[in-house]
PDB file of all heavy atoms in Angstrom:
ATOM      1  N   PRO D  16      35.943 -54.161  28.711  1.00  0.00           N
ATOM      2  CA  PRO D  16      35.574 -52.852  29.239  1.00  0.00           C
ATOM      3  C   PRO D  16      34.510 -52.873  30.313  1.00  0.00           C
ATOM      4  O   PRO D  16      33.697 -53.797  30.339  1.00  0.00           O
ATOM      5  CB  PRO D  16      35.020 -52.192  27.979  1.00  0.00           C
ATOM      6  CG  PRO D  16      34.428 -53.300  27.184  1.00  0.00           C
ATOM      7  CD  PRO D  16      35.374 -54.475  27.413  1.00  0.00           C
ATOM      8  N   LEU D  18      31.628 -50.000  31.659  1.00  0.00           N
ATOM      9  CA  LEU D  18      31.000 -48.770  31.137  1.00  0.00           C
ATOM     10  C   LEU D  18      30.589 -47.871  32.284  1.00  0.00           C
ATOM     11  O   LEU D  18      30.025 -48.334  33.260  1.00  0.00           O
ATOM     12  CB  LEU D  18      29.747 -49.195  30.310  1.00  0.00           C
ATOM     13  CG  LEU D  18      28.876 -48.064  29.759  1.00  0.00           C
ATOM     14  CD1 LEU D  18      29.638 -47.206  28.771  1.00  0.00           C
ATOM     15  CD2 LEU D  18      27.649 -48.695  29.060  1.00  0.00           C
ATOM     16  N   SER D 105      18.073 -49.572  25.614  1.00  0.00           N
ATOM     17  CA  SER D 105      18.289 -50.942  25.341  1.00  0.00           C
ATOM     18  C   SER D 105      19.379 -51.158  24.283  1.00  0.00           C
ATOM     19  O   SER D 105      20.146 -52.110  24.313  1.00  0.00           O
ATOM     20  CB  SER D 105      16.975 -51.638  24.949  1.00  0.00           C
ATOM     21  OG  SER D 105      16.476 -51.104  23.709  1.00  0.00           O
ATOM     22  N   ARG D 106      19.421 -50.220  23.309  1.00  0.00           N
ATOM     23  CA  ARG D 106      20.465 -50.203  22.311  1.00  0.00           C
ATOM     24  C   ARG D 106      21.869 -50.008  22.908  1.00  0.00           C
ATOM     25  O   ARG D 106      22.882 -50.659  22.517  1.00  0.00           O
ATOM     26  CB  ARG D 106      20.243 -49.163  21.223  1.00  0.00           C
ATOM     27  CG  ARG D 106      19.162 -49.432  20.277  1.00  0.00           C
ATOM     28  CD  ARG D 106      19.491 -50.595  19.336  1.00  0.00           C
ATOM     29  NE  ARG D 106      20.655 -50.311  18.538  1.00  0.00           N
ATOM     30  CZ  ARG D 106      20.622 -49.637  17.376  1.00  0.00           C
ATOM     31  NH1 ARG D 106      19.487 -49.265  16.892  1.00  0.00           N
ATOM     32  NH2 ARG D 106      21.779 -49.428  16.666  1.00  0.00           N
ATOM     33  N   ILE D 107      21.998 -49.180  23.940  1.00  0.00           N
ATOM     34  CA  ILE D 107      23.222 -48.914  24.597  1.00  0.00           C
ATOM     35  C   ILE D 107      23.753 -50.182  25.264  1.00  0.00           C
ATOM     36  O   ILE D 107      24.963 -50.586  25.077  1.00  0.00           O
ATOM     37  CB  ILE D 107      23.092 -47.775  25.602  1.00  0.00           C
ATOM     38  CG1 ILE D 107      22.955 -46.447  24.947  1.00  0.00           C
ATOM     39  CG2 ILE D 107      24.272 -47.756  26.600  1.00  0.00           C
ATOM     40  CD1 ILE D 107      22.512 -45.278  25.849  1.00  0.00           C
ATOM     41  N   VAL D 108      22.862 -50.876  25.928  1.00  0.00           N
ATOM     42  CA  VAL D 108      23.254 -52.102  26.663  1.00  0.00           C
ATOM     43  C   VAL D 108      23.680 -53.175  25.690  1.00  0.00           C
ATOM     44  O   VAL D 108      24.679 -53.901  25.825  1.00  0.00           O
ATOM     45  CB  VAL D 108      22.154 -52.591  27.603  1.00  0.00           C
ATOM     46  CG1 VAL D 108      22.465 -53.930  28.202  1.00  0.00           C
ATOM     47  CG2 VAL D 108      21.894 -51.548  28.729  1.00  0.00           C
ATOM     48  N   LYS D 109      22.895 -53.280  24.577  1.00  0.00           N
ATOM     49  CA  LYS D 109      23.184 -54.321  23.571  1.00  0.00           C
ATOM     50  C   LYS D 109      24.554 -54.049  22.900  1.00  0.00           C
ATOM     51  O   LYS D 109      25.323 -55.003  22.724  1.00  0.00           O
ATOM     52  CB  LYS D 109      22.059 -54.265  22.495  1.00  0.00           C
ATOM     53  CG  LYS D 109      21.970 -55.499  21.618  1.00  0.00           C
ATOM     54  CD  LYS D 109      20.698 -55.487  20.794  1.00  0.00           C
ATOM     55  CE  LYS D 109      20.684 -56.637  19.844  1.00  0.00           C
ATOM     56  NZ  LYS D 109      20.868 -56.243  18.435  1.00  0.00           N
ATOM     57  N   PHE D 110      24.791 -52.762  22.581  1.00  0.00           N
ATOM     58  CA  PHE D 110      26.088 -52.375  21.988  1.00  0.00           C
ATOM     59  C   PHE D 110      27.194 -52.713  22.917  1.00  0.00           C
ATOM     60  O   PHE D 110      28.239 -53.263  22.459  1.00  0.00           O
ATOM     61  CB  PHE D 110      26.092 -50.885  21.675  1.00  0.00           C
ATOM     62  CG  PHE D 110      27.346 -50.311  21.177  1.00  0.00           C
ATOM     63  CD1 PHE D 110      27.788 -50.585  19.879  1.00  0.00           C
ATOM     64  CD2 PHE D 110      28.131 -49.518  21.973  1.00  0.00           C
ATOM     65  CE1 PHE D 110      29.000 -50.067  19.412  1.00  0.00           C
ATOM     66  CE2 PHE D 110      29.319 -48.962  21.521  1.00  0.00           C
ATOM     67  CZ  PHE D 110      29.790 -49.243  20.227  1.00  0.00           C
ATOM     68  N   PHE D 111      27.072 -52.353  24.173  1.00  0.00           N
ATOM     69  CA  PHE D 111      28.174 -52.599  25.171  1.00  0.00           C
ATOM     70  C   PHE D 111      28.428 -54.089  25.318  1.00  0.00           C
ATOM     71  O   PHE D 111      29.541 -54.521  25.398  1.00  0.00           O
ATOM     72  CB  PHE D 111      27.830 -51.957  26.494  1.00  0.00           C
ATOM     73  CG  PHE D 111      28.892 -52.140  27.531  1.00  0.00           C
ATOM     74  CD1 PHE D 111      30.174 -51.619  27.348  1.00  0.00           C
ATOM     75  CD2 PHE D 111      28.624 -52.835  28.695  1.00  0.00           C
ATOM     76  CE1 PHE D 111      31.157 -51.777  28.281  1.00  0.00           C
ATOM     77  CE2 PHE D 111      29.617 -53.009  29.657  1.00  0.00           C
ATOM     78  CZ  PHE D 111      30.911 -52.532  29.424  1.00  0.00           C
ATOM     79  N   LYS D 112      27.330 -54.935  25.357  1.00  0.00           N
ATOM     80  CA  LYS D 112      27.497 -56.310  25.598  1.00  0.00           C
ATOM     81  C   LYS D 112      27.969 -57.014  24.338  1.00  0.00           C
ATOM     82  O   LYS D 112      28.933 -57.798  24.363  1.00  0.00           O
ATOM     83  CB  LYS D 112      26.139 -56.915  26.028  1.00  0.00           C
ATOM     84  CG  LYS D 112      26.305 -58.299  26.563  1.00  0.00           C
ATOM     85  CD  LYS D 112      24.989 -58.965  26.912  1.00  0.00           C
ATOM     86  CE  LYS D 112      25.282 -60.393  27.403  1.00  0.00           C
ATOM     87  NZ  LYS D 112      24.064 -61.182  27.474  1.00  0.00           N
ATOM     88  N   GLU D 113      27.303 -56.789  23.228  1.00  0.00           N
ATOM     89  CA  GLU D 113      27.567 -57.600  22.028  1.00  0.00           C
ATOM     90  C   GLU D 113      28.772 -57.050  21.203  1.00  0.00           C
ATOM     91  O   GLU D 113      29.564 -57.833  20.724  1.00  0.00           O
ATOM     92  CB  GLU D 113      26.312 -57.685  21.126  1.00  0.00           C
ATOM     93  CG  GLU D 113      25.212 -58.447  21.918  1.00  0.00           C
ATOM     94  CD  GLU D 113      23.965 -58.585  21.106  1.00  0.00           C
ATOM     95  OE1 GLU D 113      23.977 -58.272  19.904  1.00  0.00           O
ATOM     96  OE2 GLU D 113      22.913 -59.031  21.709  1.00  0.00           O
ATOM     97  N   ASP D 114      28.853 -55.750  21.061  1.00  0.00           N
ATOM     98  CA  ASP D 114      29.921 -55.200  20.237  1.00  0.00           C
ATOM     99  C   ASP D 114      31.206 -54.984  20.992  1.00  0.00           C
ATOM    100  O   ASP D 114      32.311 -55.223  20.496  1.00  0.00           O
ATOM    101  CB  ASP D 114      29.489 -53.870  19.570  1.00  0.00           C
ATOM    102  CG  ASP D 114      28.341 -54.084  18.596  1.00  0.00           C
ATOM    103  OD1 ASP D 114      27.215 -54.363  19.056  1.00  0.00           O
ATOM    104  OD2 ASP D 114      28.572 -54.009  17.385  1.00  0.00           O
ATOM    105  N   LEU D 115      31.081 -54.511  22.240  1.00  0.00           N
ATOM    106  CA  LEU D 115      32.269 -54.254  23.025  1.00  0.00           C
ATOM    107  C   LEU D 115      32.644 -55.407  23.983  1.00  0.00           C
ATOM    108  O   LEU D 115      33.676 -55.310  24.644  1.00  0.00           O
ATOM    109  CB  LEU D 115      32.090 -52.940  23.797  1.00  0.00           C
ATOM    110  CG  LEU D 115      31.803 -51.689  22.966  1.00  0.00           C
ATOM    111  CD1 LEU D 115      31.773 -50.431  23.875  1.00  0.00           C
ATOM    112  CD2 LEU D 115      32.781 -51.474  21.828  1.00  0.00           C
ATOM    113  N   LYS D 116      31.797 -56.431  24.033  1.00  0.00           N
ATOM    114  CA  LYS D 116      32.007 -57.555  24.950  1.00  0.00           C
ATOM    115  C   LYS D 116      32.214 -57.088  26.371  1.00  0.00           C
ATOM    116  O   LYS D 116      33.093 -57.646  27.053  1.00  0.00           O
ATOM    117  CB  LYS D 116      33.256 -58.329  24.508  1.00  0.00           C
ATOM    118  CG  LYS D 116      33.295 -58.698  23.041  1.00  0.00           C
ATOM    119  CD  LYS D 116      32.176 -59.710  22.661  1.00  0.00           C
ATOM    120  CE  LYS D 116      32.143 -59.963  21.147  1.00  0.00           C
ATOM    121  NZ  LYS D 116      30.881 -60.519  20.727  1.00  0.00           N
ATOM    122  N   GLY D 117      31.454 -56.128  26.801  1.00  0.00           N
ATOM    123  CA  GLY D 117      31.587 -55.603  28.166  1.00  0.00           C
ATOM    124  C   GLY D 117      30.829 -56.459  29.157  1.00  0.00           C
ATOM    125  O   GLY D 117      29.993 -57.298  28.822  1.00  0.00           O
ATOM    126  N   SER D 118      31.135 -56.235  30.462  1.00  0.00           N
ATOM    127  CA  SER D 118      30.579 -57.107  31.464  1.00  0.00           C
ATOM    128  C   SER D 118      30.003 -56.379  32.687  1.00  0.00           C
ATOM    129  O   SER D 118      29.291 -56.957  33.530  1.00  0.00           O
ATOM    130  CB  SER D 118      31.591 -58.122  31.919  1.00  0.00           C
ATOM    131  OG  SER D 118      32.685 -57.439  32.424  1.00  0.00           O
ATOM    132  N   PHE D 119      30.284 -55.104  32.868  1.00  0.00           N
ATOM    133  CA  PHE D 119      29.778 -54.415  34.043  1.00  0.00           C
ATOM    134  C   PHE D 119      29.510 -52.947  33.703  1.00  0.00           C
ATOM    135  O   PHE D 119      30.361 -52.282  33.007  1.00  0.00           O
ATOM    136  CB  PHE D 119      30.785 -54.531  35.195  1.00  0.00           C
ATOM    137  CG  PHE D 119      30.164 -54.149  36.562  1.00  0.00           C
ATOM    138  CD1 PHE D 119      29.510 -55.118  37.308  1.00  0.00           C
ATOM    139  CD2 PHE D 119      30.176 -52.858  37.002  1.00  0.00           C
ATOM    140  CE1 PHE D 119      28.902 -54.785  38.513  1.00  0.00           C
ATOM    141  CE2 PHE D 119      29.568 -52.489  38.193  1.00  0.00           C
ATOM    142  CZ  PHE D 119      28.947 -53.520  38.969  1.00  0.00           C
ATOM    143  N   ILE D 120      28.407 -52.420  34.251  1.00  0.00           N
ATOM    144  CA  ILE D 120      27.990 -51.028  33.951  1.00  0.00           C
ATOM    145  C   ILE D 120      27.774 -50.256  35.237  1.00  0.00           C
ATOM    146  O   ILE D 120      27.036 -50.698  36.145  1.00  0.00           O
ATOM    147  CB  ILE D 120      26.710 -51.031  33.094  1.00  0.00           C
ATOM    148  CG1 ILE D 120      26.890 -51.765  31.800  1.00  0.00           C
ATOM    149  CG2 ILE D 120      26.250 -49.573  32.837  1.00  0.00           C
ATOM    150  CD1 ILE D 120      25.656 -51.785  30.936  1.00  0.00           C
ATOM    151  N   PHE D 176      18.118 -52.958  32.051  1.00  0.00           N
ATOM    152  CA  PHE D 176      18.417 -53.756  30.853  1.00  0.00           C
ATOM    153  C   PHE D 176      19.645 -54.629  31.035  1.00  0.00           C
ATOM    154  O   PHE D 176      19.756 -55.723  30.523  1.00  0.00           O
ATOM    155  CB  PHE D 176      18.541 -52.846  29.606  1.00  0.00           C
ATOM    156  CG  PHE D 176      17.261 -52.273  29.144  1.00  0.00           C
ATOM    157  CD1 PHE D 176      17.108 -50.911  28.845  1.00  0.00           C
ATOM    158  CD2 PHE D 176      16.166 -53.105  28.928  1.00  0.00           C
ATOM    159  CE1 PHE D 176      15.931 -50.413  28.428  1.00  0.00           C
ATOM    160  CE2 PHE D 176      14.944 -52.601  28.504  1.00  0.00           C
ATOM    161  CZ  PHE D 176      14.820 -51.193  28.212  1.00  0.00           C
ATOM    162  N   ALA D 177      20.690 -54.081  31.787  1.00  0.00           N
ATOM    163  CA  ALA D 177      21.831 -54.863  32.077  1.00  0.00           C
ATOM    164  C   ALA D 177      21.440 -56.139  32.804  1.00  0.00           C
ATOM    165  O   ALA D 177      21.839 -57.278  32.463  1.00  0.00           O
ATOM    166  CB  ALA D 177      22.844 -54.038  32.946  1.00  0.00           C
ATOM    167  N   MET D 179      18.512 -57.585  32.860  1.00  0.00           N
ATOM    168  CA  MET D 179      17.738 -58.506  32.013  1.00  0.00           C
ATOM    169  C   MET D 179      18.621 -59.244  31.007  1.00  0.00           C
ATOM    170  O   MET D 179      18.238 -60.327  30.539  1.00  0.00           O
ATOM    171  CB  MET D 179      16.686 -57.667  31.247  1.00  0.00           C
ATOM    172  CG  MET D 179      15.522 -57.266  32.118  1.00  0.00           C
ATOM    173  SD  MET D 179      14.396 -56.052  31.289  1.00  0.00           S
ATOM    174  CE  MET D 179      13.152 -57.190  30.643  1.00  0.00           C
ATOM    175  N   SER D 180      19.778 -58.710  30.688  1.00  0.00           N
ATOM    176  CA  SER D 180      20.658 -59.390  29.704  1.00  0.00           C
ATOM    177  C   SER D 180      21.745 -60.128  30.443  1.00  0.00           C
ATOM    178  O   SER D 180      22.743 -60.573  29.793  1.00  0.00           O
ATOM    179  CB  SER D 180      21.237 -58.385  28.756  1.00  0.00           C
ATOM    180  OG  SER D 180      22.173 -57.558  29.401  1.00  0.00           O
ATOM    181  N   GLY D 181      21.605 -60.265  31.743  1.00  0.00           N
ATOM    182  CA  GLY D 181      22.576 -61.110  32.510  1.00  0.00           C
ATOM    183  C   GLY D 181      23.911 -60.444  32.865  1.00  0.00           C
ATOM    184  O   GLY D 181      24.869 -61.091  33.285  1.00  0.00           O
ATOM    185  N   MET D 182      23.952 -59.127  32.746  1.00  0.00           N
ATOM    186  CA  MET D 182      25.142 -58.404  33.076  1.00  0.00           C
ATOM    187  C   MET D 182      25.022 -57.825  34.475  1.00  0.00           C
ATOM    188  O   MET D 182      23.956 -57.613  34.972  1.00  0.00           O
ATOM    189  CB  MET D 182      25.342 -57.227  32.092  1.00  0.00           C
ATOM    190  CG  MET D 182      26.665 -57.198  31.406  1.00  0.00           C
ATOM    191  SD  MET D 182      26.832 -55.626  30.495  1.00  0.00           S
ATOM    192  CE  MET D 182      25.630 -55.924  29.267  1.00  0.00           C
TER     193      MET D 182
END
Side-chain angles (χ1 to χ4, degrees):
Chain D
L18 175 63
S105 62
R106 286 291 298 275
I107 288 168
V108 172
K109 199 167 174 252
F110 174 73
F111 180 63
K112 192 185 180 192
E113 296 181 10
D114 294 71
L115 304 185
K116 312 292 177 200
S118 57
F119 195 88
I120 300 180
F176 287 130
M179 285 170 96
S180 71
M182 232 189 293

